């Protein structure tokens, strides 16, 4: 992933074919162009064990239900389902948990594609809305957030100059990523560190970043 990265672009990755597309954020020459603030909750997570394989099994169960209703040829994997199909199959899922997992996957895929367009158009407000929606879905439907992550997201979302904030990575701890006006980034990081300590008694490491070039082969003399 890193070697495919380019300055000013995000990567839209197809996790089935492993193909990727560079999504360039619209140039913003204003002083309030958006930047990303990454905040580390300092809650360690291990996505290789515990709840992660449970989520995989739940998604597989949801996929089987949809395949029984609509055919495996039409839904070879959960990513091919639509929200309409998920809602039609709601009463057929083994339990409400399977329904929520399926709902998260199909809505998250749709948010990602819509966010791609918003990034290219420079509609940062809309990008932020998709980020907020993504976090709500990961928290409520996929259930991979945790108290500390939710605190960071809620703090960021309520701060002036922030467009949106969400969990990033595999969940169950780790980091949040926030899209914020550049002029507000430093104050936001100070605010997150102070309030996070007050609310959780944990330290929060933050840094500001933008999309940059990835790993490159560097020629070395000698």
């Amino acid at each position: 992933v890193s070697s495919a990265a380019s300055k000013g672009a995000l990567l839209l990755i197809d996790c089935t074919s492993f193909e990727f597309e560079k999504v360039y954020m619209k140039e913003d020459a204003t002083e309030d162009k958006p930047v990303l603030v990454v905040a580390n909750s300092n809650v360690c997570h291990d996505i290789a064990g515990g709840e992660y394989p449970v989520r995989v099994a739940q998604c597989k169960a949801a996929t089987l239900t949809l395949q029984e209703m609509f055919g495996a040829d039409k839904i070879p994997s959960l990513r091919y389902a639509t929200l309409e199909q998920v809602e039609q199959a709601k009463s057929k899922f083994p339990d409400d948990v399977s329904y929520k997992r399926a709902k998260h996957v199909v809505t998250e895929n749709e948010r990602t594609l819509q966010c791609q367009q918003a990034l290219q158009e420079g509609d940062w407000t809309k990008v932020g809305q998709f980020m907020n929606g993504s976090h709500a879905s990961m928290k409520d439907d996929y259930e991979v957030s945790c108290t500390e992550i939710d605190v960071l997201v809620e703090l960021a979302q309520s701060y002036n100059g922030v467009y949106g904030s969400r969990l990033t990575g595999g969940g169950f701890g780790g980091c949040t990523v926030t899209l914020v006006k550049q002029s507000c980034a430093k104050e936001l990081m100070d605010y997150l560190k102070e309030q996070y300590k007050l609310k959780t008694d944990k330290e929060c490491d933050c840094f500001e970043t933008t999309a940059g070039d990835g790993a490159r082969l560097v020629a070395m003399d000698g």
Side-chain angles (χ1 to χ4, degrees):
V1 173
S2 174
S3 63
S6 297
K7 183 178 180 180
L10 284 74
L11 291 178
L12 180 66
I13 303 173
D14 186 317
C15 294
T16 298
S17 66
F18 299 113
E19 295 178 343
F20 63 87
E21 178 182 349
K22 296 178 181 181
V23 180
Y24 285 91
M25 300 173 66
K26 185 176 180 180
E27 290 289 335
D28 192 331
T30 67
E31 292 183 0
D32 271 346
K33 62 183 179 182
V35 295
L36 296 170
V37 166
V38 177
N40 183 0
S41 69
N42 283 309
V43 175
C44 296
H45 57 174
D46 180 7
I47 64 171
E51 288 294 317
Y52 184 72
V54 174
R55 295 300 180 283
V56 173
Q58 290 165 341
C59 287
K60 287 181 178 178
T63 303
L64 287 174
T65 298
L66 289 164
Q67 289 176 337
E68 289 170 359
M69 282 197 65
F70 302 104
D73 57 327
K74 293 183 179 179
I75 304 180
S77 68
L78 193 51
R79 62 170 286 178
Y80 294 98
T82 65
L83 182 58
E84 181 181 5
Q85 289 172 325
V86 171
E87 294 298 338
Q88 288 178 14
K90 186 174 182 179
S91 64
K92 303 295 184 181
F93 287 113
D95 48 41
D96 188 56
V97 170
S98 298
Y99 160 73
K100 291 199 298 183
R101 303 303 186 249
K103 181 184 174 185
H104 167 72
V105 171
V106 298
T107 58
E108 184 74 346
N109 284 342
E110 182 60 27
R111 274 188 293 272
T112 301
L113 295 176
Q114 292 176 340
C115 191
Q116 173 188 13
Q117 181 176 351
L119 285 164
Q120 292 169 328
E121 293 174 351
D123 191 337
W124 313 126
T125 298
K126 190 173 289 186
V127 172
Q129 291 171 349
F130 291 133
M131 292 176 71
N132 293 339
S134 177
H135 183 76
S137 184
M138 288 189 288
K139 174 187 174 184
D140 299 326
D141 289 335
Y142 210 52
E143 297 178 285
V144 294
S145 191
C146 65
T147 300
E148 292 85 353
I149 288 291
D150 291 340
V151 167
L152 281 173
V153 168
E154 289 165 9
L155 287 170
Q157 289 175 346
S158 66
Y159 195 81
N160 184 49
V162 167
Y163 295 106
S165 185
R166 52 158 287 172
L167 163 70
T168 187
F172 310 108
C175 298
T176 65
V177 60
T178 300
L179 187 69
V180 59
K181 294 179 180 179
Q182 188 175 41
S183 61
C184 301
K186 184 182 183 304
E187 290 80 4
L188 169 65
M189 290 187 286
D190 292 340
Y191 176 74
L192 290 176
K193 292 175 184 178
E194 176 188 350
Q195 292 299 312
Y196 185 69
K197 178 68 173 178
L198 288 173
K199 292 178 179 294
T200 68
D201 199 31
K202 290 183 171 68
E203 301 296 332
C204 168
D205 305 312
C206 303
F207 63 89
E208 175 187 334
T209 188
T210 56
D213 289 329
R216 293 290 186 273
L217 181 64
V218 178
M220 300 184 68
D221 296 333

